[in-house]
């Protein structure tokens, strides 16, 4: 190591990415005799498990996002830099930032997560936004709400009720949560608000390429999920590979499926920082198919005990199963990496005795609308639950894990209003007032040229 | 009138604009035997007096904006159309919408308010955003917060602390509130968050062309305002006409004033609907200098008792003084117009006896930072107050007038956290991560070409 424990210089730790992994690593590093720099492109940490609730106008962005500076304010040894990493020099132990600054490190913790993958069809991005950031969530909110407004306007003008088909591509947890929530707001909250259209006529369709949805869940929960979705009026089509996304419709093979609003929840790929690291290490082979970095039992890439890759940028296997890319593994990896940095810096002998990383699996959950969910519980006992009980567990767990008391109270209050009293959420349409493909949908069979409507991402 | 009171057809009332005037008119029309259509380009009503608190990250957009549909949900006779008015045919009593639909009316209430005026220099708009909408507020929030982040990054890289000058153009209530709030977040909330820069070194300057700020207020309150601003470190320059706005600086005559973030609070002009109406009436002379419609004592333009112009789109004089363009007059005009529609439809004789519109002046208030304000109180007694007492009155009044119990509770909670406990507000940077002119500022004297950064209005 460049910095020996005996030397009186505090080791410098650079944490890249302030998702769950990075934040929990930084929090623990705050108690250690090291100097920490946290780098993120955004000024805020996003509580991703609730992002779909911002997209569907239940919560405000400010309720699930918090400035990184304020989360880490009490760490006297930590500084936060809002910047983009454009290069890693693993040999010189240096990180290059877009602004031109360089950061030297003794230990590097890399947790920049993943981004949408359109399987090479990046042009679909404008037509079917995915859900990874606050910007994505408000853009989805804009599109979903605008679809109802445009339908109302159209019916006022022409007297005919245009179809309101929402298509969600991908049947993982995000796709299921988005689809359930769209159906919910259409059927529960919006019916009172329109005079000409009937929002409950909205149809929501999940298109999943695999033979089942929620592939990470046990078979019985997959089945329960389909049943609960059906109760909300959400149709599920499995084995349906989307071959094209166009303004106003999607293609599954030769079949054209009309869509007033298409959302993408199908594929993710690793953040480009994974490739950047692999190239710097001279080991492109350490990436898996999605670009995640394959790390050893201490979360290090080969031969670099000073570099940790955590969260869903890391490919970690236990019992030949890859650890899922959700919040819990990221948190546990972040804490493990921080602890290990502390041991390596203070007492390498103790570090040599440290147990390998082990994912303590508490389970997985996905909500289905306003009062159902599926929950695979692995701790404190094993159980598969679905329906209202699972939903209630989901609610409790997510309130508990929100960072900061203020957010917890605010989200609890908002949920109480929205779920119990059926009051309004945050149904603001901010930004552009057009939808790609709307004109074509509203007046078939004219062709649409309405693609340039994404300019004002709100 | 096309619809006589005797006929069994309910009169159709079209309300254009869902600001204070339009919303209060529509609420009252909900109790009358008429059919109401409310048209607005946005899907939400914005509580404009608190917009600056969204711009300065104290409140969330969802706390001061509410969907028009949900505000008017209980009005069974009212429909809401989210659309843009592109033409008024006063002869045929018809309103043309951008979507192609047409609305026929028996009574028209026009309250589309005002917009920024850059005095013909519309290119300044990108460089010095004004504050009229949620979009404006989040854009200002982005710029103000980003200025601190970029300064921190710059200091990390070069070791030199770049100047942090904020320039607010215009010393009316909005300018004073913005300037005070910037100084506040810099000096109270942000000092704990940065390691390299000292946010309290931020300088805020108000440039006002007139001989004094807050010209609508009594002289002693103007003086108090300057003193209270000085305590917050905000400098005020009166008689300072801005002659140019450029990325990174503004010009006052030959003097160049550096500015990391320039905000516009100088001029307003009437919404283009005023001109549209005047042209349809064949009376371009009924517009005043700013494009407001000069109306009679019943808020009607000449010879058109079925058309009402309300809020700050209307030019109404009492005792030779123009009624100000704030929320209270708009609310009162909205209610008056609705009442008059009711009388005209039911009992024209009673309408003939109706008293002219009279503005019941309760006073004016403007906050100066976190615990000071100036208040001209006209009811229930006359008094000019400044300082903490005025601020407390401001707080109470604004909580009271927020539409909807939910918003009131949410805003109260947020204020309690922010003002009393000095907790974080909603300091999210959403959208583009560059500032016009930053590079030029950070590395003078190079020239800047960073203008194209407004693409992603967030």
């Amino acid at each position: 190591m460049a910095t020996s424990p005996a030397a009186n210089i505090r080791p410098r730790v650079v944490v890249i990415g302030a998702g769950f992994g990075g934040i929990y690593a930084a929090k623990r590093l705050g108690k250690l005799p090291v100097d920490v720099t946290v780098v993120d492109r955004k000024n805020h940490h996003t509580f991703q498990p609730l992002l779909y609730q911002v997209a569907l106008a239940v919560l405000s962005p400010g309720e699930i996002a918090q400035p990184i500076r304020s989360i880490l304010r009490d760490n006297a040894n930590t500084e936060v830099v809002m910047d983009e990493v454009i290069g890693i020099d693993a040999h010189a132990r240096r990180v290059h930032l877009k602004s031109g600054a360089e950061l030297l490190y003794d230990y590097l913790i890399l947790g920049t997560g993943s981004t949408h993958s359109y399987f090479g069809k990046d042009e679909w991005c404008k037509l079917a936004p995915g859900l990874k950031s606050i910007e994505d969530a408000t853009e989805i909110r804009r599109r979903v709400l605008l679809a109802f407004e445009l339908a109302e306007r159209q019916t006022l003008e022409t007297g005919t009720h245009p179809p309101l088909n929402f298509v969600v591509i991908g049947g993982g947890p995000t796709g299921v949560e988005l689809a359930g929530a769209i159906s919910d707001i259409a059927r529960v909250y919006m019916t009172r608000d329109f005079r000409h259209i009937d929002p409950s006529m909205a149809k929501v369709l999940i298109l999943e390429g695999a033979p089942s949805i929620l592939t990470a869940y046990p078979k019985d929960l997959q089945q329960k999920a389909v049943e609960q979705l059906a109760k909300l009026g959400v149709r599920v089509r499995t084995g349906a590979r989307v071959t094209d996304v166009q303004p106003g419709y999607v293609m599954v093979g030769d079949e054209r499926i009309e869509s007033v609003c298409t959302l993408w929840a199908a594929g993710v790929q690793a953040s480009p920082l994974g490739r950047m690291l692999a190239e710097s290490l001279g080991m492109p082979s350490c990436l898996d198919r999605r670009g995640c970095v394959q790390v050893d039992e201490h979360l290090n890439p080969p031969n670099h005990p000073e570099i940790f890759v955590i969260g869903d940028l890391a490919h970690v296997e236990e019992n030949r199963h890859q650890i899922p890319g959700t919040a819990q593994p990221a948190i546990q990896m972040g804490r493990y990496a921080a602890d290990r940095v502390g041991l390596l810096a203070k007492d390498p002998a103790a570090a040599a005795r440290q147990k390998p990383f082990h994912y303590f699996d508490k389970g997985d959950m996905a909500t289905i609308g306003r009062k159902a969910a599926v929950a695979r519980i692995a701790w404190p006992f094993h159980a598969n639950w679905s329906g209202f009980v699972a939903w209630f567990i989901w609610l409790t767990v997510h309130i508990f894990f929100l960072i900061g008391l203020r957010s917890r109270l605010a989200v609890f209050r908002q949920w109480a209003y929205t779920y119990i009293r059926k009051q309004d959420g945050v149904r603001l349409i901010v930004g552009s007032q057009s939808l790609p493909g709307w004109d074509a949908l509203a007046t078939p069979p004219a062709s649409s040229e309405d693609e340039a409507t994404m300019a004002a991402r709100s």
Side-chain angles (χ1 to χ4, degrees), chain A:
Chain A
M1 306 297 303
T3 313
S4 90
N8 246 340
I9 302 164
R10 287 156 66 99
R12 289 156 301 184
V13 187
V14 171
V15 179
I16 306 177
F20 281 107
I23 286 289
Y24 277 81
K27 280 181 154 236
R28 194 156 282 203
L29 288 167
K31 302 185 186 102
L32 300 177
V34 294
D35 287 323
V36 183
T37 304
V38 176
V39 186
D40 199 288
R41 283 183 301 175
K42 309 260 176 190
N43 84 326
H44 51 271
H45 166 76
T46 307
F47 193 85
Q48 287 213 16
L50 293 181
L51 208 46
Y52 83 95
Q53 296 218 340
V54 173
L56 277 312
V58 175
L59 298 175
S60 278
E63 285 164 343
I64 66 150
Q66 206 175 339
I68 301 162
R69 292 189 189 287
S70 69
I71 296 175
L72 301 176
R73 182 181 290 151
D74 296 334
N75 288 14
N77 65 347
T78 305
E79 69 166 331
V80 177
V81 180
M82 182 185 162
D83 209 335
E84 197 173 333
V85 172
I86 55 164
I88 296 172
D89 185 341
H91 194 70
R93 294 186 178 169
R94 195 160 48 197
V95 171
H96 297 273
L97 304 182
K98 196 174 178 188
S99 68
E102 293 177 358
L103 301 172
L104 291 168
Y105 64 81
D106 298 304
Y107 300 97
L108 177 68
I109 298 179
L110 195 59
T112 48
S114 56
T115 179
H116 317 299
S117 164
Y118 288 90
F119 308 127
K121 305 274 192 179
D122 288 345
E123 66 275 19
W124 294 356
C125 166
K126 283 184 187 172
L127 302 169
L131 184 64
K132 276 282 174 194
S133 66
I134 293 288
E135 287 87 345
D136 293 339
T138 46
E139 172 62 17
I140 291 177
R141 181 178 76 181
R142 187 185 76 78
R143 291 186 183 213
V144 171
L145 297 178
L146 197 55
F148 291 97
E149 292 290 344
L150 293 180
E152 172 85 354
R153 192 195 286 178
Q154 176 76 11
T155 314
L156 172 72
E157 186 191 345
T158 64
T160 51
H161 195 321
L164 269 172
N165 300 329
F166 294 82
V167 173
V168 178
I169 303 175
T174 302
V176 167
E177 292 184 326
L178 281 172
I182 293 173
S183 177
D184 239 9
I185 61 166
R187 295 154 64 101
V188 179
Y189 301 103
M190 300 195 95
T191 41
R192 297 172 294 174
D193 282 352
F194 292 89
R195 296 282 182 264
H196 297 285
I197 60 166
D198 177 2
S200 69
M201 300 285 285
K203 295 194 177 113
V204 186
L205 173 66
I206 295 176
L207 295 176
E208 167 61 54
S212 71
I213 60 168
L214 297 176
T215 46
Y217 286 73
K219 280 261 174 289
D220 61 324
L221 287 187
Q222 293 173 4
Q223 189 50 40
K224 288 278 184 196
V226 173
E227 287 166 18
Q228 287 170 13
L229 284 167
K231 274 191 202 161
L232 292 177
V234 177
R235 286 186 308 138
V236 174
R237 276 182 57 181
T238 51
R241 243 177 220 298
V242 171
T243 48
D244 200 6
V245 179
Q246 289 292 332
Y249 65 94
V250 302
M251 297 297 289
V252 174
D254 290 339
E255 186 187 356
R256 175 179 162 138
I257 299 173
E258 302 234 312
S259 172
V260 63
C261 177
T262 310
L263 304 180
W264 187 263
V268 291
Q269 61 191 353
S271 130
L273 278 263
R275 177 157 305 279
M276 219 178 270
L277 175 68
E279 280 167 7
S280 171
L281 298 173
M283 280 183 287
S285 64
C286 77
L287 298 180
D288 73 5
R289 188 176 46 85
R290 292 190 308 169
C292 300
V293 183
Q294 291 172 321
V295 291
D296 63 20
E297 74 276 17
H298 297 305
L299 308 179
N300 305 128
N303 308 322
H304 282 271
E306 82 284 9
I307 298 177
F308 298 84
V309 185
I310 61 175
D312 53 343
L313 183 60
H315 181 120
V316 188
E317 291 194 2
E318 276 188 20
N319 308 323
R320 292 202 200 141
H321 281 289
Q322 189 179 345
I323 293 174
T326 53
Q328 274 304 317
I331 291 171
Q332 294 177 23
M333 290 188 217
R335 287 177 171 158
Y336 181 88
D339 288 344
R340 188 156 178 85
V341 164
L343 288 178
L344 287 170
K346 204 175 67 181
D347 184 358
R353 291 191 304 270
Q354 193 190 15
K355 282 186 188 167
F357 172 76
H358 165 65
Y359 170 48
F360 176 40
D361 178 15
K362 297 175 189 164
D364 290 308
M365 284 179 279
T367 57
I368 299 163
R370 211 166 50 89
K371 42 188 184 187
V374 287
R376 178 186 64 78
I377 297 163
W379 180 86
F381 49 83
H382 278 268
N384 293 336
W385 273 337
S386 62
F388 185 78
V389 173
W391 180 79
F392 193 78
I393 297 171
W394 174 89
L395 203 76
T396 313
V397 167
H398 282 81
I399 286 272
F400 184 77
F401 273 102
L402 268 175
I403 287 176
L405 180 66
R406 221 264 321 272
S407 275
R408 268 177 229 165
L409 287 177
V411 169
F412 185 76
R413 180 187 55 81
Q414 189 68 54
W415 281 351
Y417 270 97
T418 309
Y419 291 135
I420 301 169
R421 302 187 51 185
K422 295 191 188 173
Q423 296 289 307
D424 293 304
V426 197
R427 292 215 289 275
L428 307 183
I429 298 176
V430 181
S432 160
Q433 314 226 334
S434 57
L435 273 183
W438 173 262
D439 294 339
L441 270 179
T443 53
S447 78
S448 160
E449 297 179 358
D450 204 0
E451 284 180 47
T453 54
M454 280 277 301
R457 279 219 152 193
S458 60

